[in-house]
Amino acid sequence: MLLHLRITVPTDRTDEVLTLLSDHVGVTHLVHLPGVVRRPSGDLVMCDVARESVDHLVDELQRHGVEREGGIAIESVDTSLSAATEQSVRDAPGDGADAVVWDQVVATADEESRLTLTFCAFLTIATLLAAMAIVTDSAVLLIGGMVMGPEFSPLAGIALGLVHGHRGIIRHSLRALGIGFAVATLLTIVFCLALRGLGWADVGDLLAERPATGFITRPDRWSFPVAFIAGVAGMLALTSSKSASLVGVFISVTTVPAAAAFALGVAFGDWADSARSVLQLGINVAGILLAAVLTLLVLKAFWRRVPRAVPRRLLDTPR
């Protein structure tokens, strides 16, 4: 649970930054290289920091104006063999597994919620797989489409934008979701029309009993709770060090399958299933967004109660 800070510090603020870092119990392996940075000019300060201390330190560095005239880079440390590191992690307030580095989370969400060709490609492929899963009633294909879908990132971006007041992330996320789903759905409709023209599928495949995929076009009282719980899990995975849990979130929600079912309904003229698919999609998006916003608010309130900094000199005082 260790992160590495690489800080470019204006020369006239180096002493106060070094004092800040030296006094914090979560900091170790502190390095100061005066005058080595050329653009922007300044000193280079590097240190390893217990994950639970990073958010506070970044806030303090920003108060000193370091990011305006210098820079702060946050990097993961996969392995560190050091008694000093172990001591810093023990002394730091809170727990690294629960810690939230807000600047890192916001930056990641901003990057991953932008509309790109890759985003559209993955969303389209996921929707095509989900459409084939519905036609063949294949749970394996459906799970593949769910896992491949990248739509959770912009949903998380909207929630982060609302909670932290970042309008730019909200705009990027809404643009990615709107255009991404529009492109994916349109291409899936074309694909389904091709299947219909070739005689490989027809409306009978949608109307038949589909034990593995029928739930997509039958939203019920469980749709919202499942989406809500998935949204909570997704935000916890995104804001903590447990990002591997996001795969379970992707499999739990039916946003991509609902878009695929809508495309199939339009292509085959099954307007009732299309309408139910839109309802399923809306329920899932609403559940995820509500859960994400509430989870972020709870996390912010919780971390305000955790001691932000414990100066090293206080730990050295006999109790």
PDB file of all heavy atoms in Angstrom, residues 176-191:
ATOM      1  N   ALA A 176     -19.435  10.862 -23.993  1.00  0.00           N
ATOM      2  CA  ALA A 176     -18.993   9.492 -24.269  1.00  0.00           C
ATOM      3  C   ALA A 176     -20.168   8.519 -24.222  1.00  0.00           C
ATOM      4  O   ALA A 176     -20.311   7.651 -25.100  1.00  0.00           O
ATOM      5  CB  ALA A 176     -17.921   9.071 -23.273  1.00  0.00           C
ATOM      6  N   LEU A 177     -21.020   8.660 -23.209  1.00  0.00           N
ATOM      7  CA  LEU A 177     -22.169   7.759 -23.099  1.00  0.00           C
ATOM      8  C   LEU A 177     -23.155   7.962 -24.247  1.00  0.00           C
ATOM      9  O   LEU A 177     -23.600   6.991 -24.870  1.00  0.00           O
ATOM     10  CB  LEU A 177     -22.878   7.985 -21.760  1.00  0.00           C
ATOM     11  CG  LEU A 177     -22.254   7.356 -20.522  1.00  0.00           C
ATOM     12  CD1 LEU A 177     -23.033   7.774 -19.286  1.00  0.00           C
ATOM     13  CD2 LEU A 177     -22.212   5.844 -20.640  1.00  0.00           C
ATOM     14  N   GLY A 178     -23.511   9.229 -24.517  1.00  0.00           N
ATOM     15  CA  GLY A 178     -24.502   9.505 -25.553  1.00  0.00           C
ATOM     16  C   GLY A 178     -24.049   9.075 -26.930  1.00  0.00           C
ATOM     17  O   GLY A 178     -24.734   8.289 -27.617  1.00  0.00           O
ATOM     18  N   ILE A 179     -22.888   9.553 -27.353  1.00  0.00           N
ATOM     19  CA  ILE A 179     -22.405   9.218 -28.693  1.00  0.00           C
ATOM     20  C   ILE A 179     -21.983   7.759 -28.760  1.00  0.00           C
ATOM     21  O   ILE A 179     -22.245   7.063 -29.760  1.00  0.00           O
ATOM     22  CB  ILE A 179     -21.235  10.150 -29.082  1.00  0.00           C
ATOM     23  CG1 ILE A 179     -21.724  11.596 -29.145  1.00  0.00           C
ATOM     24  CG2 ILE A 179     -20.627   9.727 -30.408  1.00  0.00           C
ATOM     25  CD1 ILE A 179     -20.639  12.601 -29.471  1.00  0.00           C
ATOM     26  N   GLY A 180     -21.340   7.259 -27.691  1.00  0.00           N
ATOM     27  CA  GLY A 180     -20.896   5.867 -27.690  1.00  0.00           C
ATOM     28  C   GLY A 180     -22.041   4.891 -27.837  1.00  0.00           C
ATOM     29  O   GLY A 180     -21.995   3.979 -28.677  1.00  0.00           O
ATOM     30  N   PHE A 181     -23.097   5.068 -27.051  1.00  0.00           N
ATOM     31  CA  PHE A 181     -24.247   4.165 -27.149  1.00  0.00           C
ATOM     32  C   PHE A 181     -24.986   4.357 -28.470  1.00  0.00           C
ATOM     33  O   PHE A 181     -25.519   3.388 -29.031  1.00  0.00           O
ATOM     34  CB  PHE A 181     -25.195   4.366 -25.968  1.00  0.00           C
ATOM     35  CG  PHE A 181     -24.919   3.452 -24.814  1.00  0.00           C
ATOM     36  CD1 PHE A 181     -24.407   3.938 -23.625  1.00  0.00           C
ATOM     37  CD2 PHE A 181     -25.160   2.097 -24.916  1.00  0.00           C
ATOM     38  CE1 PHE A 181     -24.134   3.100 -22.563  1.00  0.00           C
ATOM     39  CE2 PHE A 181     -24.899   1.234 -23.858  1.00  0.00           C
ATOM     40  CZ  PHE A 181     -24.381   1.742 -22.675  1.00  0.00           C
ATOM     41  N   ALA A 182     -25.037   5.590 -28.968  1.00  0.00           N
ATOM     42  CA  ALA A 182     -25.700   5.824 -30.251  1.00  0.00           C
ATOM     43  C   ALA A 182     -24.978   5.086 -31.381  1.00  0.00           C
ATOM     44  O   ALA A 182     -25.610   4.409 -32.212  1.00  0.00           O
ATOM     45  CB  ALA A 182     -25.754   7.322 -30.544  1.00  0.00           C
ATOM     46  N   VAL A 183     -23.650   5.186 -31.408  1.00  0.00           N
ATOM     47  CA  VAL A 183     -22.866   4.509 -32.444  1.00  0.00           C
ATOM     48  C   VAL A 183     -22.987   3.001 -32.300  1.00  0.00           C
ATOM     49  O   VAL A 183     -23.225   2.272 -33.286  1.00  0.00           O
ATOM     50  CB  VAL A 183     -21.388   4.937 -32.365  1.00  0.00           C
ATOM     51  CG1 VAL A 183     -20.508   4.070 -33.260  1.00  0.00           C
ATOM     52  CG2 VAL A 183     -21.240   6.409 -32.741  1.00  0.00           C
ATOM     53  N   ALA A 184     -22.841   2.495 -31.070  1.00  0.00           N
ATOM     54  CA  ALA A 184     -22.911   1.048 -30.843  1.00  0.00           C
ATOM     55  C   ALA A 184     -24.281   0.490 -31.211  1.00  0.00           C
ATOM     56  O   ALA A 184     -24.394  -0.575 -31.842  1.00  0.00           O
ATOM     57  CB  ALA A 184     -22.587   0.741 -29.384  1.00  0.00           C
ATOM     58  N   THR A 185     -25.340   1.212 -30.830  1.00  0.00           N
ATOM     59  CA  THR A 185     -26.690   0.738 -31.126  1.00  0.00           C
ATOM     60  C   THR A 185     -26.972   0.772 -32.617  1.00  0.00           C
ATOM     61  O   THR A 185     -27.550  -0.178 -33.175  1.00  0.00           O
ATOM     62  CB  THR A 185     -27.723   1.608 -30.373  1.00  0.00           C
ATOM     63  OG1 THR A 185     -27.437   1.576 -28.965  1.00  0.00           O
ATOM     64  CG2 THR A 185     -29.128   1.078 -30.608  1.00  0.00           C
ATOM     65  N   LEU A 186     -26.568   1.834 -33.292  1.00  0.00           N
ATOM     66  CA  LEU A 186     -26.799   1.937 -34.738  1.00  0.00           C
ATOM     67  C   LEU A 186     -26.085   0.823 -35.491  1.00  0.00           C
ATOM     68  O   LEU A 186     -26.671   0.176 -36.369  1.00  0.00           O
ATOM     69  CB  LEU A 186     -26.330   3.305 -35.236  1.00  0.00           C
ATOM     70  CG  LEU A 186     -26.521   3.581 -36.735  1.00  0.00           C
ATOM     71  CD1 LEU A 186     -27.997   3.502 -37.110  1.00  0.00           C
ATOM     72  CD2 LEU A 186     -25.950   4.942 -37.108  1.00  0.00           C
ATOM     73  N   LEU A 187     -24.828   0.586 -35.152  1.00  0.00           N
ATOM     74  CA  LEU A 187     -24.080  -0.482 -35.832  1.00  0.00           C
ATOM     75  C   LEU A 187     -24.662  -1.849 -35.512  1.00  0.00           C
ATOM     76  O   LEU A 187     -24.665  -2.756 -36.366  1.00  0.00           O
ATOM     77  CB  LEU A 187     -22.608  -0.421 -35.438  1.00  0.00           C
ATOM     78  CG  LEU A 187     -21.837   0.800 -35.939  1.00  0.00           C
ATOM     79  CD1 LEU A 187     -20.411   0.801 -35.409  1.00  0.00           C
ATOM     80  CD2 LEU A 187     -21.838   0.836 -37.465  1.00  0.00           C
ATOM     81  N   THR A 188     -25.170  -2.022 -34.307  1.00  0.00           N
ATOM     82  CA  THR A 188     -25.787  -3.298 -33.942  1.00  0.00           C
ATOM     83  C   THR A 188     -27.098  -3.495 -34.693  1.00  0.00           C
ATOM     84  O   THR A 188     -27.432  -4.623 -35.095  1.00  0.00           O
ATOM     85  CB  THR A 188     -26.019  -3.367 -32.422  1.00  0.00           C
ATOM     86  OG1 THR A 188     -24.774  -3.164 -31.747  1.00  0.00           O
ATOM     87  CG2 THR A 188     -26.575  -4.730 -32.019  1.00  0.00           C
ATOM     88  N   ILE A 189     -27.852  -2.427 -34.903  1.00  0.00           N
ATOM     89  CA  ILE A 189     -29.075  -2.531 -35.714  1.00  0.00           C
ATOM     90  C   ILE A 189     -28.732  -2.970 -37.130  1.00  0.00           C
ATOM     91  O   ILE A 189     -29.393  -3.857 -37.713  1.00  0.00           O
ATOM     92  CB  ILE A 189     -29.822  -1.180 -35.726  1.00  0.00           C
ATOM     93  CG1 ILE A 189     -30.413  -0.879 -34.345  1.00  0.00           C
ATOM     94  CG2 ILE A 189     -30.927  -1.176 -36.783  1.00  0.00           C
ATOM     95  CD1 ILE A 189     -31.026   0.504 -34.226  1.00  0.00           C
ATOM     96  N   VAL A 190     -27.688  -2.379 -37.708  1.00  0.00           N
ATOM     97  CA  VAL A 190     -27.258  -2.779 -39.051  1.00  0.00           C
ATOM     98  C   VAL A 190     -26.856  -4.245 -39.069  1.00  0.00           C
ATOM     99  O   VAL A 190     -27.205  -4.999 -39.984  1.00  0.00           O
ATOM    100  CB  VAL A 190     -26.085  -1.894 -39.523  1.00  0.00           C
ATOM    101  CG1 VAL A 190     -25.519  -2.404 -40.841  1.00  0.00           C
ATOM    102  CG2 VAL A 190     -26.532  -0.435 -39.662  1.00  0.00           C
ATOM    103  N   PHE A 191     -26.123  -4.668 -38.056  1.00  0.00           N
ATOM    104  CA  PHE A 191     -25.700  -6.061 -37.948  1.00  0.00           C
ATOM    105  C   PHE A 191     -26.909  -6.990 -37.846  1.00  0.00           C
ATOM    106  O   PHE A 191     -26.970  -8.044 -38.503  1.00  0.00           O
ATOM    107  CB  PHE A 191     -24.805  -6.230 -36.726  1.00  0.00           C
ATOM    108  CG  PHE A 191     -24.406  -7.644 -36.428  1.00  0.00           C
ATOM    109  CD1 PHE A 191     -23.466  -8.301 -37.203  1.00  0.00           C
ATOM    110  CD2 PHE A 191     -24.968  -8.325 -35.357  1.00  0.00           C
ATOM    111  CE1 PHE A 191     -23.087  -9.603 -36.927  1.00  0.00           C
ATOM    112  CE2 PHE A 191     -24.609  -9.624 -35.062  1.00  0.00           C
ATOM    113  CZ  PHE A 191     -23.656 -10.272 -35.846  1.00  0.00           C
TER     114      PHE A 191
END
